[in-house]
Amino acid sequence: MNSDLLVGCAKSLVIFSLKRQTLSEQLSVLDFERVLILHIQGWSPSQVAFCAGYVALQTELEVLVVKLTPQQKSSQAAEQHALLPEDIMTETSLDEDAEMKKDGFSPLHEQEDFFLFPKHQEMLGNEAQECGISLVLEWTGMEAESRGDMSVVYILFRRFAPDFFQGCSVEETHLHSLQLHPMFTDKQEEASVSKVGEPTCMFVFFSLPNTGYMYSLKDTVELVSTYQYPEKAHQAVLSDQFLYVITRNALQCFTVRCSAVAARLDDPYIDTTMKACPPFTMDVCALRIQLFIGLKFLCQDGNHIVLLTAADVDSKEDMERSARKNTESREHRTLTGILVAVGLEPSSTPTLESLLSRSFLSRKTSISKSTEPTDSGHGWNLYVISSVSALQLYREIVEYSKRYEQSSPSSQSCIHLLSEGHLLLRTALLMRRDCDPAERAQLQQAFQESCAQLGDCFSRFDKKDCHLALPYYKMSGLTVTDVIKRNVSMSSFSNGYGKGFLFFLKHSIYEETMEELSKDMADKVLEIFSAAEPAQLPHVVTSPSMLKADPDSAMTHLRQLEASGAPSITLSLCIASLALRKGDLHTYRQQMDLHAEMLQVYGFIEVPKLLLHGRGKAVLPTILAQHLHDTREGLLVAAVIALHENSKIRLEEADLFFQELCKDGVEVESSPQLLVDFWEALLVASSHESIIQELLFRLTSVYIDRITHRDRSGVKALKTAEDLINSCSHYGMLYPWVSILTPVQFNITHDHQEDLHKLQSLLCGPTLEVSSILPLLEQLSDSDGNGLSVHVLCATKLGQHESSIDRLLDRCPQAIISYANHELQNDKLPLWWQKLFPEVCDRMRKTGNDNAVLLSALKETLVVAAKELNPLEFLELLPDDGTAHFFLPHLLECSQ
């Protein structure tokens, strides 16, 4: 695959690398250079294979697969590379007998009377290191060092013991047809253009005379398929689509599971509700057997098979059998003549007839007298066969499966055949090769048809595999209406609907991915679930695909369900929703009054489609949600919060829901009040840190925007600032100095006063990260008390106390002492005399001593300083131009 060549020797493997040698500017040649030798200890391979770094070795009854992987150089690796071949061979010769004895295999020269065969053994993955076979690497060549260090990773070891009941003699029981087979998919197509791409899958195949084995080596090492041949096989060749086997006189074709393995490694959605693929553990089957005379060799390339035959060459077994027959016939005629000569008729005496039927010639004599065939007239024939296209073979398989479908529609044989056809098409689509667009379109169309047929089979199932109807129908490209029609027609020939179809229909309704059904089809769906699974009717009735269903018919089915047992919350809500669609407000109120609001919230959690349809960027409120918006906003907000907290709806979807709900109302804001109510209520209920920070940012943005623009429409919020402070830990009590900054006489409406108090409460709380809202403060001026309070709160939480003191002394000095008493504590206490006292004194000099606010602040500052400082420090603090009788009482208090 990468132009490297592996040559197997008796005790080693030699890897050659293809190298281009430039002889001149016009002339260059290609040559192989020996780069690596793998010395094998205790083993002598009879056949080897090499592909994509994987090395497979085979003896008569053992198979070993390893992989050469690059690694960083280490001292241990250097020691291994330093070993000379002579040392390795010496060590091997000394330990070879010990290894063979340890494995239960004694040399023949030590066992004169009997021979011990090793037992069956299989080692996968890391376990294969314990197989007792060691490989030592030796780098050679000029460019060996540039390739980096390599290590040997053991992948698979398999040992067989001769089976006397396989139909072959012990001497004939040996492995053959060792093959490493890579499989590429479309993901490697671009990589392979510029460099050698890593195959999606790697398989190894080897065979006994009557049994073949295929293992998957990539990721998880496991046995994929076992092939049982009807007669002794001489050679087998594995391809992406088939396994070709030649016997003495027949070419046999078996299915393979390469595509089933590759699909699961290539597509993460396989074996989910989105996609499916037949399992690779499914039994293989023989597709065709073609007769030839004297098959000798098989070769496969692409869509062609090459066969080499010797038409008139008899096998050794036939010659021995013919020699024995001729000898026994001559012996029979001689004895018969002797008996007749003495007067005895053998045919008249049963005993004599039985005696003549026995062979008196020993096997040894008959074999020794067999003559060798002559070479005259022996001819060799070469056949080149074009394999049948995957599309044609798929259609033949489908036609054949219809025989089983007529006798038993749910039989495993029918599904097995359809699965075989499906894998043929999947292989053709997965294969990494140029394909005509028209041909690929035909393959894709047949693939979807195959998915639909498998969906039909599994939809009739009542077994554990019935759920596979869902992914196969999805892959088929059929609409839900098409699937319903197919199963309705099938139900007329069977007893009702299968569990697979009901599973598909139920899951499609839950996912809300199905198209809106017509009235007749929607009514048919109601009939199906009313008869098969009536408990699912609330989910079915509320599905957006069922909007065209007859409300009266749906109400009838729900009433029948209600009469069968105690009324449930979801059932009452569904009946109330249908009553709104019919305009029956009396029935609506009657059903809504049956349960308390908290129980109704639980009902909405169970059936979210009662409130909203769609997901992602298309979220539409239902008629019931519109009615609750007009009459019971609190219940609506509580229900959406419950949906969010139970992962039934994302935050962005809830935003779209409320935006759409309030779009036709009188509100024109980008964030309608009901949406803000939802954010505030969710902030109370949520415990997710990321959601909390997102909500805090959104609410802060809304509060600042409303305070700045003052364009509220007068819609009353569900919760006041006091309610949030009492119920939510993220809202804190307002600091005393904040209330001084925002007195009632400021010209702010009540709504804006509430928004301001909520914003101030968030800034007084413990959770809001002030640094995240700093860009929002640019639109809020500090020219009035509300803006000033927000700016000072933010600066204080960021530790900017000195700038906050300057702002308050400049704009609202009456709040400075309240601010200092609350904020200048503990490690900020020195700011009383280091910052506040000098600033107050400086402003009194500028404004005069008659400023009562500053004078009061100065006295409060002196009281704190007198308590905290010693007399000398306090004396140094006093200004030189001060009045002595003003400072003397504070100095005396400090001295005491």
Side-chain angles (χ1 to χ4, degrees):
M1 193 176 69
N2 55 2
S3 301
D4 289 346
L5 175 66
L6 178 69
V7 177
C9 303
K11 296 295 182 181
S12 63
L13 304 177
V14 185
I15 297 179
F16 295 85
S17 178
L18 188 64
K19 181 181 179 181
R20 180 180 295 274
Q21 295 181 354
T22 303
L23 302 180
S24 64
E25 294 182 358
Q26 294 82 17
L27 182 61
S28 62
V29 296
L30 293 175
D31 194 9
F32 281 99
E33 178 189 11
R34 188 179 66 175
V35 294
L36 180 63
I37 301 177
L38 287 80
H39 298 279
I40 310 172
Q41 300 184 14
W43 226 52
S44 180
S46 60
Q47 190 173 353
V48 295
F50 185 44
C51 183
Y54 289 88
V55 179
L57 306 91
Q58 175 182 285
T59 63
E60 287 191 354
L61 292 173
E62 293 177 326
V63 173
L64 174 65
V65 181
V66 299
K67 186 177 183 182
L68 302 179
T69 58
Q71 68 170 7
Q72 295 180 352
K73 290 186 177 181
S74 62
S75 59
Q76 182 180 1
E79 293 177 1
Q80 289 181 346
H81 294 170
L83 290 176
L84 297 176
E86 291 79 4
D87 300 331
I88 298 170
M89 297 304 292
T90 303
E91 182 181 352
T92 303
S93 62
L94 292 175
D95 296 340
E96 184 174 356
D97 290 346
E99 291 288 341
M100 296 170 69
K101 290 180 180 179
K102 182 182 70 173
D103 293 339
F105 185 86
S106 300
L108 186 60
H109 62 80
E110 294 184 5
Q111 303 291 339
E112 298 180 354
D113 299 328
F114 58 91
F115 190 84
L116 296 180
F117 289 105
K119 63 180 180 179
H120 284 288
Q121 196 170 16
E122 181 188 55
M123 296 180 178
L124 306 179
N126 295 330
E127 295 181 358
Q129 295 179 357
E130 307 299 327
C131 66
I133 304 169
S134 62
L135 300 175
V136 180
L137 305 182
E138 178 191 358
W139 286 102
T140 61
M142 299 298 294
E143 299 180 2
E145 293 298 329
S146 63
R147 288 175 168 252
D149 237 350
M150 304 287 288
S151 64
V152 177
V153 178
Y154 286 77
I155 304 295
L156 166 69
F157 176 76
R158 184 73 189 263
R159 173 187 292 155
F160 296 91
D163 194 340
F164 296 93
F165 303 98
Q166 282 283 336
C168 299
S169 64
V170 175
E171 292 79 5
E172 295 174 333
T173 303
H174 62 273
L175 293 167
H176 62 81
S177 303
L178 178 66
Q179 182 181 351
L180 284 171
H181 181 73
M183 187 169 186
F184 293 85
T185 58
D186 293 337
K187 289 187 177 180
Q188 283 76 31
E189 199 164 325
E190 297 180 0
S192 62
V193 174
S194 58
K195 60 179 181 179
V196 178
E198 187 74 13
T200 303
C201 300
M202 180 64 72
F203 303 94
V204 64
F205 176 83
F206 45 88
S207 181
L208 289 169
N210 289 92
T211 311
Y213 302 88
M214 184 177 75
Y215 283 83
S216 173
L217 304 179
K218 199 88 178 276
D219 294 342
T220 303
V221 183
E222 57 186 325
L223 178 63
V224 176
S225 301
T226 301
Y227 296 88
Q228 299 291 338
Y229 311 134
E231 56 182 319
K232 177 185 174 182
H234 296 321
Q235 185 190 358
V237 174
L238 178 67
S239 67
D240 286 335
Q241 290 184 305
F242 307 109
L243 174 70
Y244 299 100
V245 178
I246 58 172
T247 63
R248 183 187 173 196
N249 292 317
L251 168 65
Q252 302 176 8
C253 178
F254 295 87
T255 57
V256 297
R257 301 289 174 257
C258 297
S259 60
V261 177
R264 286 169 171 81
L265 293 176
D266 190 61
D267 194 340
Y269 292 100
I270 295 295
D271 298 327
T272 66
T273 58
M274 300 297 296
K275 297 180 181 180
C277 179
F280 59 82
T281 55
M282 185 174 62
D283 292 338
V284 297
C285 65
L287 293 179
R288 276 191 171 90
I289 297 180
Q290 294 174 272
L291 299 179
F292 291 87
I293 299 176
L295 283 169
K296 298 300 180 182
F297 185 77
L298 164 68
C299 180
Q300 182 269 338
D301 182 35
N303 295 327
H304 295 90
I305 304 165
V306 180
L307 296 174
L308 188 63
T309 69
D312 57 348
V313 176
D314 293 331
S315 66
K316 184 178 179 181
E317 293 86 346
D318 290 340
M319 290 185 294
E320 293 174 356
R321 190 180 305 111
S322 177
R324 285 195 300 267
K325 182 177 180 181
N326 293 333
T327 304
E328 290 174 1
S329 298
R330 186 167 57 253
E331 180 187 45
H332 185 274
R333 289 195 301 270
T334 302
L335 291 177
T336 302
I338 294 172
L339 292 174
V340 171
V342 296
L344 296 177
E345 182 63 35
S347 59
S348 63
T349 307
T351 304
L352 292 177
E353 186 69 24
S354 175
L355 179 66
L356 290 176
S357 65
R358 299 178 185 178
S359 174
F360 289 90
L361 191 63
S362 67
R363 289 179 179 267
K364 183 174 182 180
T365 305
S366 65
I367 295 176
S368 63
K369 290 184 179 181
S370 62
T371 59
E372 294 294 330
T374 62
D375 293 333
S376 60
H378 294 172
W380 294 89
N381 298 319
L382 181 68
Y383 297 90
V384 179
I385 305 172
S386 295
S387 59
V388 180
S389 67
L391 198 57
Q392 179 182 346
L393 188 55
Y394 161 73
R395 288 168 179 162
E396 292 179 9
I397 291 177
V398 171
E399 288 297 324
Y400 196 69
S401 67
K402 291 180 180 179
R403 303 180 186 179
Y404 292 97
E405 185 178 5
Q406 292 173 356
S407 59
S408 178
S410 299
S411 68
Q412 288 292 339
S413 299
C414 178
I415 291 182
H416 194 164
L417 282 173
L418 291 176
S419 298
E420 293 289 0
H422 180 88
L423 286 178
L424 285 175
L425 297 174
R426 185 180 286 275
T427 304
L429 292 171
L430 280 178
M431 287 174 61
R432 183 184 142 268
R433 57 190 178 94
D434 296 334
C435 184
D436 180 62
E439 179 185 355
R440 191 167 186 85
Q442 290 180 349
L443 287 172
Q444 186 63 39
Q445 182 180 359
F447 181 79
Q448 291 182 336
E449 175 189 331
S450 170
C451 293
Q453 292 169 344
L454 285 171
D456 291 340
C457 287
F458 287 110
S459 67
R460 298 188 291 259
F461 263 26
D462 290 334
K463 303 177 183 178
K464 62 178 182 180
D465 292 333
C466 64
H467 67 280
L468 293 176
L470 174 63
Y472 279 119
Y473 274 141
K474 283 186 176 181
M475 295 163 59
S476 69
L478 295 174
T479 64
V480 178
T481 300
D482 295 334
V483 175
I484 294 174
K485 290 179 179 179
R486 292 168 74 102
N487 281 270
V488 168
S489 62
M490 286 188 295
S491 66
S492 60
F493 301 102
S494 59
N495 298 324
Y497 299 98
K499 290 184 178 180
F501 170 64
L502 294 175
F503 180 83
F504 162 80
L505 196 56
K506 180 170 58 177
H507 203 282
S508 299
I509 290 175
Y510 276 30
E511 279 189 342
E512 300 185 6
T513 56
M514 57 189 292
E515 71 278 4
E516 185 175 343
L517 301 177
S518 63
K519 180 181 180 301
D520 294 339
M521 197 58 62
D523 293 341
K524 187 64 179 180
V525 171
L526 288 175
E527 294 178 8
I528 292 173
F529 279 99
S530 180
E533 294 189 34
Q536 299 298 324
L537 280 174
H539 299 279
V540 175
V541 170
T542 56
S543 173
S545 59
M546 300 289 291
L547 292 177
K548 293 182 180 179
D550 183 13
D552 294 328
S553 175
M555 184 71 77
T556 301
H557 290 297
L558 291 178
R559 289 296 188 184
Q560 292 175 354
L561 179 60
E562 184 182 29
S564 63
S568 65
I569 303 169
T570 55
L571 186 57
S572 298
L573 291 175
C574 288
I575 295 176
S577 178
L578 279 176
L580 279 179
R581 288 176 58 184
K582 296 171 60 178
D584 186 359
L585 293 179
H586 174 73
T587 303
Y588 165 78
R589 297 189 188 97
Q590 187 180 44
Q591 293 294 323
M592 295 297 287
D593 292 341
L594 290 177
H595 307 282
E597 281 194 359
M598 185 54 65
L599 294 178
Q600 291 176 359
V601 169
Y602 291 139
F604 289 125
I605 294 174
E606 187 174 348
V607 188
K609 293 188 290 292
L610 284 165
L611 294 179
L612 53 93
H613 289 163
R615 295 299 299 270
K617 296 182 179 180
V619 179
L620 298 176
T622 62
I623 296 178
L624 180 58
Q626 292 282 0
H627 190 77
L628 292 179
H629 171 239
D630 298 332
T631 58
R632 301 172 68 176
E633 291 182 339
L635 173 60
L636 179 62
V637 170
V640 178
I641 289 175
L643 294 179
H644 179 273
E645 291 302 290
N646 287 273
S647 302
K648 302 291 186 178
I649 186 175
R650 296 191 298 270
L651 182 59
E652 294 77 11
E653 294 172 340
D655 295 344
L656 293 174
F657 171 77
F658 284 108
Q659 292 279 6
E660 188 69 25
L661 198 61
C662 303
K663 183 171 64 175
D664 297 332
V666 295
E667 301 178 19
V668 294
E669 293 179 282
S670 59
S671 301
Q673 181 57 48
L674 192 60
L675 177 58
V676 178
D677 292 334
F678 166 73
W679 289 343
E680 291 174 345
L682 183 58
L683 189 62
V684 178
S686 181
S687 59
H688 303 287
E689 183 63 27
S690 59
I691 295 293
I692 291 173
Q693 291 300 326
E694 176 67 20
L695 293 174
L696 289 173
F697 181 83
R698 293 185 182 189
L699 289 171
T700 302
S701 177
V702 170
Y703 296 153
I704 291 177
D705 184 70
R706 289 180 175 179
I707 295 170
T708 303
H709 298 93
R710 303 183 183 183
D711 55 357
R712 292 279 312 275
S713 59
V715 178
K716 185 178 180 181
L718 291 179
K719 289 183 179 292
T720 64
E722 185 178 357
D723 295 334
L724 292 173
I725 292 172
N726 294 331
S727 61
C728 183
S729 60
H730 307 296
Y731 289 85
M733 295 292 295
L734 296 183
Y735 301 150
W737 58 270
V738 175
S739 301
I740 299 176
L741 286 175
T742 54
V744 179
Q745 62 264 26
F746 274 87
N747 187 20
I748 304 178
T749 64
H750 176 73
D751 290 335
H752 291 97
Q753 189 76 40
E754 280 294 316
D755 293 326
L756 176 61
H757 286 173
K758 290 178 180 179
L759 176 60
Q760 292 171 339
S761 179
L762 281 179
L763 291 171
C764 294
T767 312
L768 179 63
E769 297 179 359
V770 176
S771 58
S772 64
I773 66 168
L774 289 180
L776 302 176
L777 295 180
E778 296 178 358
Q779 59 177 315
L780 182 61
S781 173
D782 62 349
S783 59
D784 53 9
N786 53 350
L788 178 63
S789 66
V790 175
H791 280 277
V792 175
L793 275 170
C794 291
T796 301
K797 295 200 74 172
L798 292 173
Q800 302 171 1
H801 294 81
E802 296 186 14
S803 63
S804 299
I805 291 173
D806 292 334
R807 278 189 174 184
L808 290 177
L809 287 176
D810 291 337
R811 304 292 308 282
C812 188
Q814 60 268 26
I816 190 62
I817 296 302
S818 177
Y819 175 86
N821 284 328
H822 188 270
E823 302 294 343
L824 303 184
Q825 302 295 329
N826 300 324
D827 59 326
K828 298 295 185 287
L829 190 63
L831 291 179
W832 278 91
W833 53 86
Q834 294 176 1
K835 175 65 179 179
L836 182 58
F837 181 77
E839 291 293 337
V840 172
C841 291
D842 182 62
R843 281 166 173 75
M844 288 189 64
R845 292 190 190 99
K846 296 177 181 179
T847 59
N849 295 334
D850 56 347
N851 191 324
V853 175
L854 292 177
L855 185 61
S856 175
L858 179 60
K859 290 180 179 180
E860 292 293 336
T861 304
L862 288 173
V863 170
V864 175
K867 291 180 180 179
E868 299 296 333
L869 300 178
N870 59 48
L872 183 59
E873 292 173 337
F874 185 77
L875 187 61
E876 293 178 353
L877 179 67
L878 301 180
D880 297 336
D881 56 349
T883 306
H885 68 82
F886 181 81
F887 296 102
L888 184 59
H890 299 285
L891 181 60
L892 293 176
E893 183 179 355
C894 180
S895 300
Q896 293 175 359

